[in-house]
Amino acid sequence: MDTIELLARQPILPVIVIDDADSAVPLAEALMAGGLASIEITFRTKAAAEAIRRIRAAVPEMLVGAGTLLNAENADAALEAGAQFGLAPGLSAEVVAAFEDAGKLFIPGIMTPTEINQAADMGCKYLKFFPAETAGGAANLKAMNAAFKHLGLKYCPTGGITLANMEKYLSLPEVFAIGGSWLATRDQIAAGDWKTVSEQARAALTQAAKIRQS
């Protein structure tokens, strides 16, 4: 399976802010123990690239993405560290180009029809709807995509999504996955609370399976 098929198969993407690269491997192992085999390490801290590097080396069965890629420097660092795909809160032509050149999936962020149009013009078929809840939620995404449905675009809503509201998003056919920071919070990672992380991953996958089967 390619990257997008793997993400769609397990439509829950943990969005991770990691402060200490020493936590990266235990975190990945905790998510794997809960059944989740993908992760987004955001480039919001200096530990991001090293965290990606360590997970790729120690947990090769996990699909590792880099998030919050705002410029070419971020993109180059993520790719050099071994990121298998990338995401961003916005749309940067230079980041799109870097991942295209590397032959890897990049999922830019959109919030408006204009941004959807621009991303589609750049050849991006998979988009991150961010920040989902404060940008009108699932109803807004469904309404915006109506004008672009013939293009076959797919979305990964992120921002304010939780176990309690994920059904609104995963029930939409245009949504291939959702991203969530609740799966492993910054405090849980700092405390090494791996049992809770595994439980949260397991609960999310169970809920997602029920939604997709209904």
Side-chain angles (χ1 to χ4, degrees), residues 129-139 157-162 165-166 168-169:
F129 176 45
F130 177 83
E133 278 293 278
T134 55
T158 304
I161 298 177
T162 66
N165 64 18
M166 60 191 281
K168 297 186 299 181
Y169 296 94

Side-chain angles (χ1 to χ4, degrees), residues 68-76 92 94-95:
T68 321
L69 302 179
L70 306 181
N71 50 49
E73 182 181 357
N74 292 158
D76 290 344
S92 165
E94 61 183 11
V95 179

Side-chain angles (χ1 to χ4, degrees), residues 13-203:
L13 180 63
V15 179
I16 304 300
V17 180
I18 194 160
D19 296 293
D20 184 351
D22 287 345
S23 299
V25 172
L27 167 64
E29 290 173 341
L31 290 169
M32 290 289 295
L36 274 178
S38 64
I39 190 170
E40 173 189 344
I41 302 293
T42 63
F43 266 64
R44 301 182 194 178
T45 70
K46 293 179 180 179
E50 181 61 19
I52 290 171
R53 194 173 289 111
R54 293 190 189 188
I55 294 171
R56 288 300 315 278
V59 193
E61 62 271 36
M62 175 159 271
L63 184 65
V64 185
T68 321
L69 302 179
L70 306 181
N71 50 49
E73 182 181 357
N74 292 158
D76 290 344
L79 290 166
E80 190 277 330
Q84 293 162 284
F85 64 102
L87 309 96
L91 178 62
S92 165
E94 61 183 11
V95 179
V96 171
F99 273 77
E100 184 177 6
D101 289 346
K104 296 184 184 296
L105 173 70
F106 178 63
I107 305 171
I110 58 87
M111 195 178 72
T112 67
T114 297
E115 291 164 347
I116 295 174
N117 206 143
Q118 291 171 339
D121 283 347
M122 292 181 192
C124 300
K125 296 290 186 181
Y126 299 93
L127 310 175
K128 176 175 179 173
F129 176 45
F130 177 83
E133 278 293 278
T134 55
N140 189 37
L141 176 58
K142 182 178 180 180
M144 286 196 300
N145 188 59
F148 301 95
K149 189 169 287 188
H150 62 290
L151 298 180
L153 304 176
K154 298 292 183 179
Y155 302 85
C156 178
T158 304
I161 298 177
T162 66
L163 192 68
N165 64 18
M166 60 191 281
E167 182 173 3
K168 297 186 299 181
Y169 296 94
L170 284 178
S171 61
L172 297 178
E174 54 264 62
V175 169
F176 72 90
I178 59 169
S181 58
W182 92 90
L183 293 152
T185 69
R186 209 166 182 172
D187 288 344
Q188 289 166 352
I189 294 168
D193 189 0
W194 309 130
K195 180 181 177 183
T196 297
V197 169
S198 295
E199 290 172 349
Q200 289 166 171
R202 194 173 297 112

